[in-house]
Amino acid sequence: MAVQQTQALPPQYVEDLQKDYGTQLTATTAAPLDTSKFAPTVAGQDPAQQQAYQMATTQGQGIGAFQPYITQAGAYSGPQGYQSFMSPYQQDVIDATMQEYDTQAAAGLTGIGQQAAMSGNLGGGREGVMRAQYQNKSDMNRALLQSGLLQQGFTQANQLANQAFGQQQSLASQVPGLYGQDIATLGSAGAGQQAFEQAGLDATREANRLSAYEPYERLGYLGSGIASIASGAPGQYQSMVQPNPTPLQNALGIAGVGAGLMTGYGDYLRGSRGIA
């Protein structure tokens, strides 16, 4: 006894659409997707960032910017620190002062001789004692005057050395800080520019990615439409393109959608033809 088999075939236009879809799907997926066009790229350092790095790592500008001032401060300390601040004219002042003192002292000796002559003791022992006493006192006063002048010069030079020492210490703190401000400003400005360039690279990458996946997106939308027409139910299509996915995620998404569509078509065809 012959077995009669009845098949419910889809309309011709549905078969035509399915055939066209299969042709496009084969052509689209035949060649591997060139993911290099939308591979992540990182913007290079901005010149301002490079300059900040160079300053930060250059001896005397970033690293060790304080060292010259600490070294100079050391020259102004210790027992010899005052010497650089001694007045070059101090000895001239001392010489002139002592010369004037000697002149005045000599005049004093002359006065003793005149007093001895008037008293009738000129050349006598009394005059000799008076001269000796006067000379001793004069010599002592001369030594005190000279030591006072030397002490005054030393004190002034020592004060100036202490002042210079403090100035160098202050510069040792201020100069690195100023360099640091320049480095920070350059680094910040460079980072902003780098971020701007990175945004441009990301936008280009996104545009390339959308362009590369556009045929797959279009093909997926077409397949979803064909499936809804064949089944008689409204179809829903979910875009495969999500914001900034990785190439691997995209590849897996496309494979999953393609496999699902082909499985659905196979099930539909088997069911429409009455094939178990």
Side-chain angles (χ1 to χ4, degrees):
M1 180 179 178
V3 178
Q4 185 178 2
Q5 183 177 7
T6 302
Q7 293 182 347
L9 298 176
Q12 184 62 42
Y13 73 91
V14 174
E15 291 187 353
D16 293 340
L17 286 173
Q18 291 172 342
K19 182 179 179 181
D20 180 62
Y21 177 81
T23 301
Q24 293 189 54
L25 180 63
T26 301
T28 301
T29 58
L33 190 63
D34 183 9
T35 59
S36 64
K37 294 182 179 180
F38 47 92
T41 54
V42 179
Q45 276 193 323
D46 184 78
Q49 289 176 303
Q50 295 177 0
Q51 186 176 355
Y53 174 79
Q54 291 173 356
M55 288 183 63
T57 56
T58 298
Q59 188 72 25
Q61 293 186 2
I63 298 175
F66 60 87
Q67 189 59 51
Y69 306 99
I70 295 297
T71 301
Q72 189 62 48
Y76 298 147
S77 63
Q80 311 301 325
Y82 74 95
Q83 291 181 348
S84 298
F85 299 92
M86 292 292 291
S87 172
Y89 307 105
Q90 183 178 12
Q91 190 59 48
D92 294 338
V93 172
I94 293 176
D95 292 343
T97 302
M98 301 314 298
Q99 183 177 0
E100 178 63 23
Y101 180 86
D102 291 341
T103 300
Q104 296 298 327
L109 286 175
T110 301
I112 292 176
Q114 292 176 348
Q115 292 178 8
M118 293 175 61
S119 63
N121 292 317
L122 183 63
R126 182 176 179 83
E127 179 186 0
V129 172
M130 293 176 62
R131 285 180 175 274
Q133 291 176 341
Y134 179 86
Q135 190 64 51
N136 288 337
K137 185 176 181 180
S138 176
D139 290 344
M140 182 177 294
N141 290 337
R142 189 180 193 280
L144 290 174
L145 176 61
Q146 186 176 17
S147 64
L149 292 173
L150 291 173
Q151 181 63 38
Q152 181 180 356
F154 170 77
T155 300
Q156 182 178 1
N158 199 44
Q159 291 174 347
L160 293 174
N162 288 333
Q163 180 180 345
F165 180 84
Q167 291 172 342
Q168 294 300 312
Q169 283 190 317
S170 178
L171 288 172
S173 300
Q174 292 179 3
V175 171
L178 294 174
Y179 275 121
Q181 291 177 11
D182 287 344
I183 292 170
T185 300
L186 288 170
S188 177
Q193 183 63 28
Q194 185 187 35
F196 175 78
E197 294 179 3
Q198 184 64 54
L201 291 174
D202 291 342
T204 301
R205 170 181 173 242
E206 183 68 10
N208 290 338
R209 185 177 66 86
L210 292 174
S211 176
Y213 282 99
E214 189 278 333
Y216 297 90
E217 185 83 2
R218 178 161 36 85
L219 193 60
Y221 186 78
L222 175 61
S224 177
I226 294 174
S228 67
I229 292 173
S231 65
Q236 294 183 350
Y237 176 69
Q238 184 176 0
S239 174
M240 294 179 295
V241 180
Q242 301 298 327
N244 294 323
T246 65
L248 178 60
Q249 290 172 331
N250 276 326
L252 294 175
I254 292 172
V257 172
L261 290 173
M262 295 306 294
T263 301
Y265 294 150
D267 292 342
Y268 166 74
L269 292 176
R270 284 192 294 270
S272 65
R273 290 181 171 87
I275 300 174

